[in-house]
Amino acid sequence: MKILIVEDEASLREMMAGTLRKEGFIVETAGDFGTAVEKLDVYSYECVLLDIMLPGGSGLDVLSHIKKLDKKVNVIIISAKDSIDDKVRGLELGADDYLAKPFHLAELIARIRSVARRSQAGGDFAFRMGNVALEPETNRLMVGGKEVSLLKKEFDILKYFMQRPGHVVDKAVLAEAVWGDHADQSDNFQFVYAQMKNLRRKLEEAGADIEVKAVYGFGYKLVGK
């Protein structure tokens, strides 16, 4: 799951980011209203952790902007302003949950997983294509009813493509989606090529009737055989 943390307090923002990355989430951050809106306009996230009090604007205005973009994203409001009015307005604007500061990081993780389960219609949710089923909740790949072992990034890559079957994905877009803010620290995409090579080999060896094909000069796309 890819998460955007919108929080102006640097120490809390980095603590949240570090903890969530250890839990296996892909995390990006924004410390003010403008950066949050800019990232939301360009990139896609499955969950946004949103503070209400931000430099340059209100988190509730960020929430309104998210809804106007019509992107499928879970929003958890995280704010020191534990007032009924803020909570009610946030939920009315489409937030999925509300967590008041201070909070335990374990509770934050539980809330994230809870809204993800609700949006996926239960823990048995899976992306399916051909004889392949990818289960985000359990991090399992099933091919023809048999489990196939994948590394974390291989799983994330396949999930990204199974959400976009038949769509050509540029390698730079894929790198940003799977590796987050750290993708632009490299001037080449060897890390993408290596993970992709391993994923394609594992799908082939497992007898999957789907494949991630290279589209010369453009990137990759997921297709059936």
Side-chain angles (χ1 to χ4, degrees), residues 6-216:
V6 183
E7 165 62 53
D8 66 324
E9 186 181 336
S11 59
L12 176 59
R13 185 173 66 242
E14 293 310 312
M15 181 171 63
M16 291 166 61
T19 299
L20 294 177
R21 286 181 181 124
K22 289 178 182 178
E23 290 293 318
F25 297 108
I26 302 161
V27 181
E28 295 186 4
T29 63
D32 56 63
F33 177 88
T35 304
V37 170
E38 181 181 337
K39 288 200 169 188
L40 287 162
D41 283 344
V42 177
Y43 306 118
S44 294
Y45 303 93
E46 291 157 284
C47 185
V48 175
L49 307 179
L50 182 61
D51 191 10
I52 290 179
M53 301 294 290
L54 296 171
S58 167
L60 294 176
D61 290 333
V62 174
L63 178 55
S64 296
H65 185 74
I66 291 172
K67 299 308 172 182
K68 288 178 182 177
L69 292 173
D70 197 28
K71 292 183 177 181
K72 185 179 179 182
V73 54
N74 298 308
V75 178
I76 301 175
I77 293 177
I78 297 174
S79 178
K81 291 182 64 179
D82 190 21
S83 74
I84 295 298
D85 288 345
D86 285 331
K87 181 175 182 178
V88 170
R89 188 178 173 206
L91 294 173
E92 286 179 342
L93 287 171
D96 298 278
D97 205 345
Y98 187 104
L99 185 60
K101 299 176 186 176
F103 54 83
H104 292 290
L105 290 171
E107 182 178 5
L108 173 63
I109 293 167
R111 296 288 188 98
I112 293 170
R113 288 177 172 157
S114 177
V115 297
R117 282 194 296 271
R118 290 202 300 268
S119 69
Q120 295 171 348
D124 61 348
F125 174 84
F127 296 105
R128 300 182 187 278
M129 185 173 176
N131 66 345
V132 176
L134 196 72
E135 303 173 0
E137 188 68 19
T138 59
N139 290 326
R140 293 199 310 168
L141 168 64
M142 306 297 292
V143 178
K146 296 181 179 180
E147 185 171 355
V148 178
S149 177
L150 293 182
L151 298 177
K152 178 67 171 60
K153 292 304 181 186
E154 295 167 357
F155 185 93
D156 291 341
I157 290 171
L158 183 56
K159 184 173 75 169
Y160 189 82
F161 278 100
M162 291 195 74
Q163 291 173 297
R164 301 160 179 81
H167 290 252
V168 177
V169 178
D170 181 84
K171 60 181 178 297
V173 173
L174 175 64
E176 193 283 329
V178 175
W179 279 267
D181 287 338
H182 300 290
D184 58 10
Q185 296 178 7
S186 175
D187 57 1
N188 62 61
F189 294 97
Q190 290 303 316
F191 58 100
V192 176
Y193 301 144
Q195 299 279 2
M196 185 65 74
K197 180 180 179 181
N198 290 336
L199 172 61
R200 295 169 75 183
R201 175 180 55 79
K202 289 180 179 180
L203 289 173
E204 179 69 25
E205 291 176 351
D209 54 13
I210 64 170
E211 62 178 325
V212 183
K213 294 190 68 173
V215 181
Y216 184 75

